[in-house]
Amino acid sequence: MLENLLKEALINIFSKSYQLDLKIDALSLQKTRPEFEGDLTLVVFPFLKLVGKKPEQLANELGEAMKLESPLVHSFNVIKGFLNLVIDDRYWLDFLEDNLSRTAFDQHYFSKNDTVVIEYSSPNTNKPLHLGHVRNNLLGWSVAEILGANGAKVFKVNLVNDRGIHICKSMLAWQKWANGATPESSGKKGDKFVGELYVQFDKAYKAEQQQLIQDGIGEDEAKKKVPVIVAAQQMLLEWEAGEAHVKSLWQTMNGWVYEGFERTYKRMGIDFDKIYYESETYLLGKQLVLEGLEKGVFYKKEDGSIWCDLTDEGLDEKLLLRADGTSVYMTQDLGTAQLRYDDYQAQELIYVVGNEQNYHFDVLQKILKRLGKPWADGIEHLSYGMVELPDGKMKSREGTVVDADELMEEMVNTAKKMSEELGKGQEMEATAAQDLYEMIGMAALKYFILRVDPKKTMLFNPAESIDFNGNTGPFVQYTHARIKSVLRKAEEKGITWKNADMQMHGLKPKEKSVITLLHSWKDVLQQAAINRSPALIANFIYELAREYNQFYQEHSILKETSKDAVLLRLQMSELTASMLSYAAGLLGIKMPEKM
């Protein structure tokens, strides 16, 4: 809004003074560099040849004209070809007053008809959720909230990988080694119970493979002849054929896992509008593949397998159906994409999946286009970097993953320990204190994960995430609680700062710094949506919290002798707390009233 008003004034000046008919896109205003006085800067070099002026001459002429043309401009200064505009304090005070009663700071960058389907989580039912899933879930949920805050109609969906050879491995392991045990009888959460069976299968597979090699069979041949993998492959064929005993075991074990997933999602604060299951989507995928075969889009090899040749587009040949008729991931993804479009008629289908699947989604989009699906252009792979540990990558088959439930529990316990050491929560009842520790621990986890640009691989170190003085979620929470404490004390003193009859108050540098940062929120929210990056929101709330704390250290609020200064600073404080709460909420982080 501010930039557009200034640009319109500049366009009028160029028209009247230089007979130039400029479009608004021709003007670029940037935030003034901190070492110079000013709020916004215009670079005049692009206009020198058009008006026949030297840089400093044109900048000074434009600055003088802007003071006359726009009441928003209080003063200006020129550094070579850079015109630094100082915005009048009245604008910032009006902004503060206009936004003070707001608790939601959404906007309408998107049209209300813009429909987006965003898929995240996509777990396998052969193992519990781990640290990699945590990043996926937090990123997907937050991007959905950010898009919604920008005006889009967003549907959050999950695709559960509930079928395939990996699922059969856990099922076979239960048949062979569980002795009829259940999650209830073993006292384990359902997804963990099944995940341990998957690890057990892998250990048996490796042992049997090694035995075959010792018996003189080559390594490649041994991999195919390992008895347990042959049995698992047979079970998959029986599953696809609808064998009752296999389907029954599959339903039972998946039920155990779903109950476990739901508990994890609830604690993480993650939800979905709809859950799809690969066991339901792969059949539509098969149908699409067969239709493509009839149309000549795909071809069949001598062994009966069906392929798509993408070599003319710089890719390779892609298997769509195996020779035995069983499907592959691409088969079910084709069916899922079609179902999603049929359900929502969405302009965008966003997949939140790790960057190791970049090629897969490139192929998916190209195949759908060849099938004549015009909506395939709306497919977007929100690719994110892997989460690594100080000692390397995680491996599910070997059981070396960081379990999501254990991680969340560790974060909350660490939050409790550090809070107690600092004396936070001491005056609260036990239940309220535990709620606070949960809030702090989850904020530490979410902020640490989401503050990193999604495209970057990140190194997860829990020890760095809980620090009440660093670039962390707890630091932002502590700032919010500090502000709420100030506001409560002001209320106890009977001070009313909303709709206060406040005379013009010349802004101190730190006051202005906080207000201008609050003013920048609209652009931050828009850019976070465009870039699909919660990191921009995380960086904003940290910068706002840090700036407010610096202001708080330099200026008294309730002990200030000027009544107008007290009112202004209370208004600043309230808007800062409201915006911290709203913006952090888009990351799934809750703000405590007390700490």
Side-chain angles (χ1 to χ4, degrees):
M1 181 67 176
L2 173 61
E3 288 190 21
N4 284 341
L5 291 172
L6 293 174
K7 287 179 180 180
E8 288 171 3
L10 284 164
I11 286 172
N12 288 336
I13 292 169
F14 274 108
S15 177
K16 290 187 293 186
S17 301
Y18 306 106
Q19 291 72 54
L20 286 178
D21 183 19
L22 297 179
K23 302 297 182 185
I24 199 165
D25 292 341
L27 297 168
S28 176
L29 289 170
Q30 307 165 357
K31 186 177 179 180
T32 303
R33 288 166 57 180
E35 62 264 34
F36 301 123
E37 181 188 11
D39 299 302
L40 292 168
T41 297
L42 175 72
V43 181
V44 303
F45 294 108
F47 313 107
L48 298 181
K49 290 184 179 179
L50 297 174
V51 300
K53 303 275 186 178
K54 292 183 178 180
E56 291 190 10
Q57 180 186 4
L58 177 58
N60 276 292
E61 288 179 3
L62 290 173
E64 294 292 350
M66 283 293 284
K67 286 178 63 178
L68 297 173
E69 182 75 23
S70 174
L72 296 173
V73 178
H74 174 267
S75 61
F76 73 94
N77 64 84
V78 174
I79 307 295
K80 297 183 179 179
F82 299 89
L83 170 61
N84 302 318
L85 300 172
V86 178
I87 304 304
D88 192 86
D89 284 352
R90 185 73 262 166
Y91 175 84
W92 304 118
L93 294 170
D94 288 345
F95 161 78
L96 196 59
E97 184 178 348
D98 292 344
N99 288 273
L100 191 57
S101 9
R102 292 180 65 185
T103 54
F105 300 91
D106 52 350
Q107 59 175 325
H108 301 288
Y109 172 69
F110 295 107
S111 160
K112 63 181 180 180
N113 296 320
D114 286 333
T115 302
V116 179
V117 174
I118 180 165
E119 175 201 295
Y120 55 93
S121 198
S122 303
N124 296 328
T125 57
N126 64 321
K127 54 191 174 185
L129 302 178
H130 55 63
L131 176 56
H133 290 115
V134 172
R135 188 178 198 188
N136 181 296
N137 279 288
L138 296 181
L139 176 60
W141 186 91
S142 182
V143 169
E145 294 297 304
I146 291 168
L147 293 174
N150 277 276
K153 190 174 184 180
V154 183
F155 294 96
K156 297 175 283 189
V157 303
N158 186 2
L159 173 66
V160 178
N161 302 301
D162 65 338
R163 60 165 298 282
I165 189 65
H166 51 298
I167 310 300
C168 292
K169 290 176 180 179
S170 295
M171 292 166 61
L172 187 70
W174 185 86
Q175 288 180 331
K176 282 181 169 293
W177 304 300
N179 297 317
T182 66
E184 186 177 13
S185 69
S186 63
K188 296 176 181 176
K189 195 160 163 275
D191 51 339
K192 290 182 172 53
F193 178 79
V194 173
E196 289 175 3
L197 291 169
Y198 181 67
V199 174
Q200 194 170 0
F201 176 94
D202 188 64
K203 290 179 179 177
Y205 170 81
K206 288 179 178 176
E208 291 182 5
Q209 178 189 356
Q210 191 59 38
Q211 184 61 53
L212 290 175
I213 293 173
Q214 290 176 1
D215 291 343
I217 299 176
E219 184 175 347
D220 291 340
E221 188 67 19
K223 288 179 180 179
K224 299 175 184 178
K225 291 187 176 182
V226 173
V228 288
I229 196 64
V230 172
Q233 289 166 344
Q234 178 59 36
M235 180 178 281
L236 178 59
L237 289 172
E238 292 173 356
W239 183 93
E240 295 211 4
E243 292 286 345
H245 71 284
V246 176
K247 284 280 190 176
S248 177
L249 176 60
W250 170 77
Q251 290 173 340
T252 297
M253 293 183 67
N254 276 350
W256 295 338
V257 175
Y258 297 149
E259 188 276 334
F261 283 171
E262 186 56 36
R263 286 163 58 184
T264 305
Y265 288 138
K266 184 176 181 180
R267 189 172 194 180
M268 203 181 295
I270 298 302
D271 64 329
F272 306 96
D273 296 301
K274 184 168 183 176
I275 297 179
Y276 293 87
Y277 299 91
E278 285 191 1
S279 58
E280 299 170 354
T281 66
Y282 87 104
L283 293 174
L284 177 56
K286 277 188 169 184
Q287 181 182 325
L288 291 171
V289 171
L290 295 175
E291 288 176 3
L293 183 64
E294 289 180 11
K295 295 176 181 177
V297 176
F298 309 138
Y299 71 96
K300 183 182 288 187
K301 289 190 175 181
E302 292 181 2
D303 64 359
S305 58
I306 299 176
W307 297 72
C308 179
D309 186 357
L310 297 169
T311 54
D312 60 337
E313 296 193 58
L315 302 176
D316 58 8
E317 295 177 304
K318 183 64 181 178
L319 174 66
L320 300 178
L321 277 179
R322 298 187 184 96
D324 60 9
T326 56
S327 63
V328 294
Y329 276 121
M330 185 59 69
T331 321
Q332 52 226 24
D333 277 350
L334 291 170
T336 305
Q338 182 67 62
L339 275 177
R340 295 244 178 91
Y341 183 75
D342 293 342
D343 287 344
Y344 299 106
Q345 302 290 302
Q347 286 79 30
E348 293 183 77
L349 300 171
I350 301 176
Y351 295 80
V352 182
V353 183
N355 55 16
E356 79 279 7
Q357 294 294 325
N358 288 347
Y359 182 82
H360 175 85
F361 286 98
D362 191 14
V363 171
L364 173 65
Q365 187 174 53
K366 284 179 168 54
I367 290 177
L368 285 168
K369 285 183 178 181
R370 292 198 176 192
L371 286 170
K373 308 296 181 182
W375 46 265
D377 287 327
I379 286 178
E380 176 187 340
H381 175 203
L382 203 174
S383 171
Y384 64 89
M386 293 293 97
V387 182
E388 295 183 356
L389 303 170
D391 56 353
K393 295 182 179 180
M394 300 178 291
K395 296 179 181 178
S396 300
R397 283 188 293 271
E398 297 176 10
T400 60
V401 300
V402 177
D403 180 87
D405 295 315
E406 294 173 4
L407 173 62
M408 289 189 286
E409 188 66 22
E410 178 188 345
M411 297 297 289
V412 173
N413 288 338
T414 303
K416 178 181 179 181
K417 180 182 177 182
M418 293 188 68
S419 296
E420 289 176 342
E421 289 175 355
L422 295 170
K424 300 183 187 300
Q426 285 184 334
E427 299 177 359
M428 297 180 179
E429 294 181 357
T431 302
Q434 189 57 44
D435 289 343
L436 175 63
Y437 304 144
E438 181 80 20
M439 201 181 295
I440 293 171
M442 293 307 297
L445 173 63
K446 292 179 179 182
Y447 185 89
F448 192 89
I449 294 286
L450 292 175
R451 76 177 187 180
V452 179
D453 184 278
K455 296 180 180 63
K456 295 181 179 178
T457 295
M458 67 171 294
L459 183 68
F460 183 75
N461 188 342
E464 296 178 8
S465 64
I466 301 182
D467 181 349
F468 290 96
N469 296 305
N471 182 3
T472 65
F475 169 71
V476 177
Q477 289 178 314
Y478 178 68
T479 303
H480 180 270
R482 164 179 273 177
I483 295 172
K484 286 295 186 178
S485 175
V486 171
L487 297 178
R488 283 193 298 272
K489 290 177 182 177
E491 287 179 345
E492 291 168 2
K493 289 177 176 287
I495 302 174
T496 303
W497 59 91
K498 288 185 178 179
N499 303 315
D501 184 16
M502 183 173 61
Q503 302 300 312
M504 180 65 185
H505 174 87
L507 293 174
K508 306 292 185 186
K510 280 298 174 185
E511 293 172 338
K512 183 175 180 180
S513 182
V514 172
I515 297 173
T516 55
L517 196 52
L518 291 166
H519 184 272
S520 71
W521 165 251
K522 182 178 179 180
D523 291 334
V524 172
L525 180 59
Q526 181 175 315
Q527 288 303 312
I530 292 171
N531 293 289
R532 320 297 200 220
S533 179
L536 297 176
I537 305 291
N539 292 335
F540 171 82
I541 61 174
Y542 169 66
E543 189 178 352
L544 178 58
R546 184 183 61 182
E547 203 64 43
Y548 180 88
N549 278 292
Q550 290 178 0
F551 147 76
Y552 184 85
Q553 295 299 326
E554 289 189 19
H555 299 288
S556 173
I557 298 179
L558 299 181
K559 293 181 180 180
E560 171 60 51
T561 55
S562 166
K563 178 184 176 182
D564 287 341
V566 172
L567 296 175
L568 169 73
R569 291 169 188 175
L570 287 172
Q571 289 181 351
M572 280 174 49
S573 298
E574 179 167 353
L575 186 56
T576 299
S578 296
M579 199 167 283
L580 284 176
S581 181
Y582 178 82
L586 298 179
L587 307 179
I589 294 173
K590 297 178 181 178
M591 292 288 110
E593 296 288 309
K594 297 179 180 180
M595 281 180 75

